[in-house]
Amino acid sequence: MKKFLATLLALVMVLSLAACGGDKGGDTTPPADSGNTGTTAPPADSGSGEKTAIKVIAAEYGQNTKQWWADFVTDFNSSHDNIDLTVEAVSWNDIYTVVNTRVANNDAPDILNIDVFADYVADDLLLPIQDCVSDETYAKFYDAFLEQSNIDGTIWAIPDLASARAMYYNKGILEAAGVEVPTTWDELKAACEKIKAYDSSIYPWGIDMTTDEGQAAFAYYIWNNGSDFTDASGNWTLDADANVEAIEYAIGLVKDGYTNSDPANETRYALQDLFGAGKLAMMIGPNSIPTYIADNYAKANTPAEEQIDYAFAAIPTNGSNPSVSAGVMDRFMVFDNGHSDEKIEAIKEFFDFFYEDERYSDWVLMEGFLPATSAGGEIVAAADPSMAPWVEIVGSCKFYPTAKAEWADVKQGVINVEQQALLGGNVKELLEDLQAQIAG
Amino acid sequence: MSQPANAVKKPVSIKKGILRLLLYFVVLDVCVITLYPYFAMLCTALKNRVEIFSGGTILPIVPLWSNFIDIWSRAPMAKYMLNSVLIAGGSTIIAMLCGIPAAYALARMKFKGQTAFLGFVIVSQMFAPVVLLIGIYQVMQKLGLTDNILGLIFINAAFNQAFTIWLLRGTFMGISAEMEQAATIDGCTRVQSMMKVLLPVAAPGIVTTLIFIFINAWNEYTVALCLISTDTFKPLTVGINTFNGYNMIEWQYLFAASIFAIIPVVILFMCIEKNLVSGLASGGVKG
Amino acid sequence: MSTKTPSAPAEAQELAKKVPRLSGSKKLFRKVEPYIWIAPSIILMAIFIVTPIVKVFQLSMSKVTRAGLVKGYNNFENFTNVLKSPAFSLVLKNTIVWTIAVVVISTVLGFMLALVLNNKFRGRKVARAIVVFPWATTLVIQASAWNFIINKDYGTLNTLLMKIGLISAPVNWTPTPGAYFAWEIACGIFVTIPFVTFCVLSGLQSIDASYYEAATVDGAGYFQKLFSITLPLVKSSLTVATVLNIIYVFNSFPIIWTMTKGDPANHTDTLVTYLYKLAFYNGKQGEASAVSVIGFLILLVCASVYMIYTLRKGDDDL
């Protein structure tokens, strides 16, 4: 008994020693290794001999993002002696939690890379982006992209990349089922029916109505029914008849058994995996799908005969409406943390460095996205011919109304409407309720 | 050891045999069900992505052991693991250092506000850390403990106080105070009598408490997620999420890394379990 | 603060050692002594739990912008907004179902498992180690694993059953939100059982074997011994385990978040996942804080009932 206790006590002591030793490594105070912990040090910008610290929080787009930023920071800091840049790449699952917690505690990053920005503008947290970007860099962006970040005549953010959506289809399945590539909703429904008759274990059509990205499904169907979230003057028109019709059509596909079994829980990523495994015939997805599928096959050493043969086409529309591709754009924004002039200069240098054409196209290609600058577009199109049609598409696609302050509520609202409808709710009533709640 | 099921020592061998069989049957079932998710995880960890999503196989066609090696280069797994050990070990020590005296006072002394204190301990647990994230972050910021392992150690220790105090109080109260009183008469101080007489007898309860805190701290996720921003300070739970990215869940890596996260806890438990049994055999029962 | 807290117990012990020798102040010391013993614990909880709780109460009564800035008090508007929301009653019902189902079933099964594992048999050590597995696994991982297992398209459960020949085509295990919720509850039970089992086991181990011997001599049967000796003696560890379990399960977050995020349309949400979505997806931190205060009040009522019942008795024993 005594022996056991002695062992236990010894263990506790060893552990406590280990903990003390380890804590020092994690502590912010010892100067010896504070290089690691620069992120938590109080902003010491204006000091004369001090380095200017810039804190960046960036979204983690995929498996390569973290490494890309790590290399970027090394390159940047070694060529800018007076600046101490730290970049924290946070996964999309967690980024809102992390950013909101920091903002609520007056610990906002200097630069943030995320999708939303209107909320921060509403709270006067941001600096107009033109004050923080050099003129040469600012001139590089497509005007249409900058307009997406316009609130009351001020541009608050610059795009870091974009992606566009199209319909992907499995050529093998469509051929075997004797189906032409559908271009209208009627053709799509007929195609689903034939595919299902051909092999009931294959899902003809993929739909994602999850909390993750259900708003995308909403956009695909209403935009391709000639409708929109708002009217021309920017008033919300969520319960427009064309919207009701569009969502009823989408829900109808689910109810008829033409889609994946659980649209409320199966995210786009789950659909992409089903598509890559040949279990899903058609889905709407981003331009990054080919990179994604090729990566998987390469990692798995999948023999060529087991790989799926697929292509992409315009998203089917209702009748003669023009097909609309959905664009998604993410942004950089600068928080107003009372920056000194040196700091603003440092931030400008950060953006100049990031948007250098070579580095920028490398950033975009890293995870298979689309560029938001014209020079970047040319380089990307030249580097990868398969991207060329996408660079065309992204110039003309529609974007979510993210500049409107109610967008966050609308986004959650339409997802809720979709999920309620999946459970048997009346689409018209649900959308009317939402409209009343948003506009009222 | 008390053995209610076979305390009867008479040779009722057939009945005993059937009971034995039944016992093994139940234990085997429980083990199989418990292990099934881990079996599935292991098999998945050894497959490639395409095979995973094609379904149809239980065992991997060709075990891809490289997945287990890949994760070490894709994320600083060793660092994550060390951080988890420090956080869980540190939390356990602090929780015990604060909890043992409190439980002792509750079990052996009478003072005003005793019930209130016990109530306070329980009430303090009624908010999940998830709920308190914003407040916790603010406290940590004031103390300069954001992005710091020490901060997580304190949080985990604090959120485990209720269990520590309640369980140890119960354990201490279950042990007769006579021996300690005798020791005090022999000239021991309270601290000495607690250390020399009570704690050795209470070892099983203490060990259970230790395991509990360690496991809880090892598994904590949400607070660590919000407080730690530097990759090299992350514990395993948060670090593993690297494989749960924007574009895809890398099931094979996620599960391979998870298996590494489970192993230390199981080993730890097996060590303590051995001590627990021997400790009981030598002293616990007699006490 | 960071350096003070860990050394506080040491100070307390130092004090405890020294002071008794000062015979003059002995009486005063007797009065103060217990508070010195509980001080470290109180300091630890005051800083790291009570302060954040105060903050949550403040937020629940304040207007908080989407980006998280506090803009003054707003007259319990957060509470009325929450209570008015049609989702809230559904979420509340889910929370109650979730808590009761997980706690009751895991307590019963865990208790039974503890009785089984308290027997001496070959391989007991291995069995005990295996039982601790679900507890030793991070909930996020455990939930991911279950989500993977029950997936209709590539889940291992369907594959396994098809290989055995029990089913011929993949079964959709989660056709309705209710079915999904049931799986989440099953997962909750799965991870909670080890906790109960080990609490009960630690209680069983401190029971003196002589009680059973005496009872056997008196001719008591297995169940008689179970109800008249075992149950009363493990009652204290079992009640503590149950109360803590109610709190932990009520506040449990990772399982539901990983498996369904409360979808579809709040049908699998509990208060905790609901308020997390409110705070970090919908940007309504004020309302989220209000939900957590409501959850706190519910737990407080339950625990008070328990404490009035048990602690009164405990005080009599002292």
Side-chain angles (χ1 to χ4, degrees), chain A residues 96-97 100-101 103-104 119-120 123 125 203 211 261-262 264-266 274 279 408-409 412 416 419-420 423, chain C residues 65-69 71 152-153 172 174 177 180 259-261 263-267 276 279-282 284-285:
Chain A
Y96 303 105
T97 315
N100 281 5
T101 315
V103 170
D119 299 338
Y120 305 123
D123 279 353
L125 290 168
Y203 301 116
T211 299
S261 45
D262 193 0
N265 275 302
E266 281 165 326
L274 286 175
K279 288 181 163 187
D409 284 332
Q412 295 303 322
N416 190 49
Q419 296 188 349
Q420 296 276 14
L423 293 169
Chain C
T65 67
R66 265 183 197 293
L69 299 182
K71 300 256 159 106
K152 185 194 166 197
D153 300 303
N172 184 1
T174 53
Y180 229 133
M259 288 176 84
T260 60
K261 289 196 161 76
D263 290 340
N266 305 109
H267 278 68
Y276 187 82
F280 296 114
Y281 274 59
N282 302 10
K284 294 176 179 165
Q285 289 184 14

Side-chain angles (χ1 to χ4, degrees), chain C residues 116-138:
Chain C
V116 170
L117 291 181
N118 199 39
N119 288 300
K120 254 203 183 105
F121 57 89
R122 204 173 300 222
R124 179 168 82 150
K125 265 186 223 166
V126 178
R128 283 191 180 188
I130 287 173
V131 167
V132 88
F133 265 56
W135 188 11
T137 313
T138 308

Side-chain angles (χ1 to χ4, degrees), chain A residues 35-338:
Chain A
N36 275 340
T37 59
T39 27
T40 49
D45 22 10
S46 53
S48 51
E50 297 264 322
K51 283 186 172 190
T52 309
I54 304 183
K55 285 192 295 180
V56 180
I57 294 184
E60 190 180 355
Y61 288 99
Q63 42 187 319
N64 306 321
T65 313
K66 228 172 219 167
Q67 192 53 49
W68 194 91
W69 277 116
D71 296 343
F72 180 93
V73 169
T74 316
D75 290 352
F76 184 87
N77 281 341
S78 63
S79 59
H80 297 78
D81 289 339
N82 55 338
I83 302 176
D84 181 22
L85 173 73
T86 48
V87 178
E88 187 185 333
V90 183
S91 90
W92 281 104
N93 281 333
D94 309 325
I95 195 163
Y96 303 105
T97 315
V98 170
V99 172
N100 281 5
T101 315
R102 303 269 168 87
V103 170
N105 287 292
N106 296 318
D107 190 23
D110 299 316
I111 301 172
L112 175 64
N113 166 214
I114 205 170
D115 51 350
V116 293
F117 75 105
D119 299 338
Y120 305 123
V121 175
D123 279 353
D124 293 329
L125 290 168
L126 300 184
L127 286 172
I129 197 72
Q130 238 174 320
D131 298 352
C132 311
V133 181
S134 68
D135 293 341
E136 306 89 80
T137 299
Y138 194 76
K140 288 181 178 179
F141 303 106
Y142 293 120
D143 280 344
F145 278 37
L146 288 173
E147 272 312 303
Q148 297 299 320
S149 304
N150 181 340
I151 293 180
D152 299 335
T154 308
I155 308 292
W156 296 98
I158 45 175
D160 70 308
L161 50 73
S163 78
R165 304 285 161 91
M167 179 183 72
Y168 286 83
Y169 59 93
N170 184 319
K171 283 186 189 169
I173 298 175
L174 262 62
E175 263 167 43
V179 177
E180 292 289 313
V181 179
T183 58
T184 67
W185 284 1
D186 292 340
E187 288 174 26
L188 175 61
K189 207 160 198 170
C192 288
E193 203 175 342
K194 277 192 186 163
I195 292 168
K196 196 154 189 204
Y198 157 70
D199 183 346
S200 64
S201 73
I202 293 173
Y203 301 116
W205 184 245
I207 289 187
D208 163 8
M209 291 181 169
T210 62
T211 299
D212 238 41
E213 217 198 21
Q215 79 278 8
F218 194 86
Y220 300 151
Y221 294 94
I222 65 166
W223 283 343
N224 284 295
N225 199 24
S227 185
D228 205 341
F229 291 94
T230 61
D231 61 18
S233 49
N235 301 312
W236 294 105
T237 52
L238 299 169
D239 59 348
D241 290 343
N243 291 358
V244 176
E245 185 191 12
I247 301 311
E248 277 174 349
Y249 173 78
I251 298 291
L253 292 175
V254 180
K255 292 271 143 79
D256 291 343
Y258 294 149
T259 66
N260 44 308
S261 45
D262 193 0
N265 275 302
E266 281 165 326
T267 64
R268 171 158 59 77
Y269 316 114
L271 298 183
Q272 284 174 203
D273 285 321
L274 286 175
F275 184 76
K279 288 181 163 187
L280 177 64
M282 301 176 280
M283 68 176 286
I284 299 172
N287 52 288
S288 55
I289 284 189
T291 324
Y292 177 79
I293 290 179
D295 270 5
N296 281 334
Y297 286 151
K299 262 184 257 163
N301 283 322
T302 310
E305 63 270 20
E306 283 176 28
Q307 301 186 2
I308 62 163
D309 186 12
Y310 65 97
F312 66 88
I315 298 174
T317 73
N318 191 13
S320 57
N321 288 310
S323 175
V324 178
S325 169
V328 174
M329 188 181 81
D330 296 333
R331 305 166 158 91
F332 278 116
M333 57 208 78
V334 175
F335 276 81
D336 185 2
N337 293 343

Side-chain angles (χ1 to χ4, degrees), chain B residues 2-9 12 15-16 19-20 23, chain C residues 115-116 118-120 212 222 225:
Chain B
S2 55
Q3 303 307 327
N6 56 354
V8 188
K9 292 206 169 116
V12 266
K15 195 182 164 197
K16 213 173 156 185
L19 277 176
R20 245 334 57 171
L23 178 76
Chain C
L115 290 181
V116 170
N118 199 39
N119 288 300
K120 254 203 183 105
Y212 291 108
Y222 177 77
K225 280 186 282 189

